[in-house]
Amino acid sequence: MGCTQSSSAGVIEEGPTTTNPVKDILNEKKGAYPLYGPNRIMARKQHGTSSTPVQSNLLYGCDFKTADRICNYNRHFAEHAGYFRSGKRQTEFLKAVEEAKKRKEKITFYDSNTGYPLFTAPVNRSWDAWLLESKNHGWPSFRDDEVNWEYFRCLRNGESVSIHGTHLGHNLPDGKGNRYCINLVSIAGSPVKIEQPIDSSKHASNDDEIDL
């Protein structure tokens, strides 16, 4: 089965327009993957299922039009099988993989809409193993240990999404466990600075001396 395998929930969820990420987890059992989120993650927003279009400077040779359609106006379909190693991707994406392999480094993949980190690979396997599995299935394929669960959820029907409403692909388990079959156009974003909560203990108290 490829990433075009889909579910009955193939349309944008109707309901009030929302902009906030949906962080809810429906299965709280520790160590139980995938983490499931509610269908309202994919509710209608300002730009399809997302608040914004995909970034204009997508990585790996991914084109804006294809990415925006698949990420924000789609619940059923995927980029064509082998897209991640065809056209410009054959040089830009595979070159990035080869460079990371030579340096013995991992690659973090970012949401094409928001720039938030969604996957880091390879984890607990080699680059060769990751690339072989992805080539065999036709799409970048990730395992549980390679998912950033802070920003990633599955719906009960297997659809893989970001908490901000980006359609990513589908979970298509095999004999090894969960396998997240993901569109490269959905994870070709550039990272953004993630604001951290303010730690009030690090701020000056009324008794602190402040230079004016």
Side-chain angles (χ1 to χ4, degrees), residues 7-14 18 22 24 26 36-45 49 75 153-159 161-163 165:
S7 60
S8 59
V11 297
I12 297 175
E13 293 291 325
E14 294 296 337
T18 180
V22 179
D24 303 41
L26 301 182
Y36 289 107
N39 288 335
R40 61 188 175 87
I41 290 176
M42 301 302 281
R44 188 178 301 278
K45 304 178 184 68
T49 58
R75 304 288 301 281
R153 296 287 185 274
C154 273
L155 304 186
R156 290 292 188 182
N157 53 41
E159 184 180 6
V161 301
S162 78
I163 63 171

Side-chain angles (χ1 to χ4, degrees), residues 104-119:
K104 297 182 179 180
E105 295 176 349
K106 299 175 174 62
I107 291 179
T108 296
F109 297 88
Y110 298 88
D111 190 326
S112 291
N113 283 321
T114 66
Y116 280 61
L118 295 174
F119 302 95

Side-chain angles (χ1 to χ4, degrees), residues 5-77:
Q5 181 74 19
S6 190
S7 60
S8 59
V11 297
I12 297 175
E13 293 291 325
E14 294 296 337
T17 300
T18 180
T19 58
N20 296 324
V22 179
K23 300 180 180 181
D24 303 41
I25 299 173
L26 301 182
N27 54 322
E28 295 291 347
K29 184 178 179 181
K30 185 176 181 180
Y33 295 113
L35 297 184
Y36 289 107
N39 288 335
R40 61 188 175 87
I41 290 176
M42 301 302 281
R44 188 178 301 278
K45 304 178 184 68
Q46 290 92 332
H47 192 79
T49 58
S50 177
S51 298
T52 61
V54 296
Q55 297 176 357
S56 60
N57 57 336
L58 294 175
L59 303 177
Y60 311 127
C62 294
D63 63 282
F64 179 94
K65 185 177 180 180
T66 300
D68 200 52
R69 173 173 51 83
I70 289 176
C71 291
N72 300 317
Y73 292 96
N74 161 68
R75 304 288 301 281
H76 276 291
F77 302 108

